[in-house]
Amino acid sequence: GKYFFHIELENDTYVPFVPDFITFTIADRKVAKRTVMQQKALDPLRTYRPLLPVHGQTTERNIYLLDVFTLSEGQVLLIEAYEKNGGRSQVLKVKNSDLVRAKPLEKLKLKL
């Protein structure tokens, strides 16, 4: 009944990427001119750990837990990572076909 999103931010530059926040939004795939864009924000139920800076030439990972949802025709899930005091924002578009191919977690190994 839940989605686990394993998000990885990779920094190929030598300038650190300091994320401010990450949003999960359901939005219309294509928006014609003069039409209002319908968006619905989704709040993660839990996160594995707080957002950490992605230093130069490194990778940071995090896991987000969201309630199950589906997307109608013409909608996508936008996962956006915004940089603090910067303009480098990252956007990931997830289609409904990606969501319905999600596999259940049979065994979850946690390190305590």
Side-chain angles (χ1 to χ4, degrees):
K2 307 285 185 224
Y3 281 129
F4 286 92
F5 285 92
H6 182 220
I7 306 294
E8 178 178 286
L9 294 175
E10 182 178 347
N11 187 357
D12 289 335
T13 69
Y14 290 101
V15 179
F17 179 84
V18 181
D20 192 11
F21 58 92
I22 292 183
T23 61
F24 295 83
T25 309
I26 296 175
D28 295 331
R29 186 179 306 165
K30 294 180 183 177
V31 178
K33 293 179 183 178
R34 301 180 189 218
T35 60
V36 177
M37 186 170 184
Q38 299 285 331
Q39 290 189 345
K40 179 183 175 188
L42 301 174
D43 293 326
L45 301 173
R46 297 215 192 280
T47 58
Y48 178 63
R49 60 182 175 177
L51 287 173
L52 299 173
V54 185
H55 300 290
Q57 303 292 316
T58 62
T59 301
E60 287 292 335
R61 297 177 180 154
N62 207 347
I63 299 172
Y64 297 90
L65 176 68
L66 276 78
D67 275 324
V68 169
F69 59 91
T70 57
L71 302 173
S72 64
E73 187 68 32
Q75 288 185 325
V76 292
L77 172 67
L78 298 176
I79 303 172
E80 299 177 86
Y82 292 93
E83 182 180 25
K84 184 182 276 187
N85 298 325
R88 298 183 294 175
S89 63
Q90 304 296 315
V91 179
L92 175 66
K93 294 181 181 180
V94 181
K95 296 183 271 186
N96 192 51
S97 61
D98 298 324
L99 292 175
V100 296
R101 286 192 315 229
K103 296 178 183 173
L105 289 174
E106 298 298 328
K107 295 180 183 176
L108 186 61
K109 297 179 183 177
L110 297 175
K111 293 181 181 178
L112 300 177

